[in-house]
Amino acid sequence: MEYILIFIAAVFVNNVVLAQFLGICPFLGVSKKVSTAAGMGAAVTFVLTIATLVTFLIQKYVLDAYGLGYMQTIAFILVIAALVQLMEIVLKKVSPSLYQALGVFLPLITTNCCVLGVAILVIQKDYNLLQAIVYAVSTAIGFALALIIFAGIREQLEMTHLPKGLKGIPIALITAGLLAMAFMGFSGIV
């Protein structure tokens, strides 16, 4: 039951983008097409899960073991950067079209505060390894879900006649706010 609560809380109630405001740059930048948003969601899911696993192990077996807790942020950033570079190489070989579609936002996963934030939150919440992985996957699913829903709404808005002053970023921000309020409706569940 505990893992189900972690899942529901991470995906819906404490959505990393809509409630904690982490990962806003790719949320606004890659959300113009559903296909690109789905690709970015998958990429973030992979990086977030692997980064959380690796940073958890580094924290427990290196930083804590040798009294180097003060090195947490720099160690986590280095791990995340290395994982993103690895993923960029793999995507370029496996799916060149997705690699092109993600463009500059793929390397930005390195600086996506969502990935670093989750790695640090797992340590702060004192999760065990299985809870950490469930939380990371759930958070990534929540990120991808918000990104895909937002992209779908933005695609529909492109076909709608809007006043000139609302086109582009203004309507995107209004939509993001409404989407965040919609996700707040899940707060009574957990």
Side-chain angles (χ1 to χ4, degrees):
M1 188 67 173
E2 177 183 356
Y3 297 107
I4 294 170
L5 290 176
I6 290 172
F7 178 82
I8 291 171
V11 173
F12 298 110
V13 180
N14 295 321
N15 186 286
V16 74
V17 175
L18 301 172
Q20 298 179 24
F21 307 112
L22 297 174
I24 296 292
C25 180
F27 180 71
L28 293 173
V30 185
S31 60
K32 293 181 182 174
K33 292 182 183 176
V34 173
S35 59
T36 308
M40 178 59 112
V44 168
T45 300
F46 175 76
V47 170
L48 192 63
T49 304
I50 301 300
T52 300
L53 173 67
V54 173
T55 56
F56 180 88
L57 295 173
I58 287 173
Q59 179 72 36
K60 295 297 179 191
Y61 297 110
V62 177
L63 299 179
D64 288 347
Y66 295 104
L68 300 171
Y70 61 90
M71 297 287 291
Q72 180 188 57
T73 304
I74 193 75
F76 286 11
I77 288 171
L78 291 173
V79 166
I80 292 165
L83 286 171
V84 170
Q85 290 302 313
L86 176 69
M87 196 177 112
E88 192 172 355
I89 292 167
V90 169
L91 263 182
K92 196 172 189 178
K93 293 259 188 206
V94 174
S95 179
S97 60
L98 180 58
Y99 177 79
Q100 289 295 331
L102 291 175
V104 71
F105 293 102
L106 187 58
L108 284 179
I109 294 175
T110 304
T111 59
N112 186 344
C113 54
C114 169
V115 179
L116 180 61
V118 169
I120 291 173
L121 282 171
V122 161
I123 303 302
Q124 288 177 347
K125 292 179 185 236
D126 200 29
Y127 283 154
N128 63 36
L129 184 59
L130 186 56
Q131 290 171 325
I133 297 302
V134 168
Y135 181 72
V137 170
S138 304
T139 302
I141 289 170
F143 178 83
L145 178 68
L147 192 63
I148 291 167
I149 290 171
F150 189 58
I153 293 170
R154 285 185 77 180
E155 278 186 358
Q156 290 297 315
L157 285 172
E158 287 296 319
M159 296 183 282
T160 307
H161 177 68
L162 294 170
K164 187 178 180 182
L166 285 178
K167 288 188 179 190
I169 294 296
I171 195 66
L173 293 174
I174 291 168
T175 304
L178 292 171
L179 191 57
M181 288 186 349
F183 270 67
M184 282 177 53
F186 292 109
S187 62
I189 293 175
V190 179

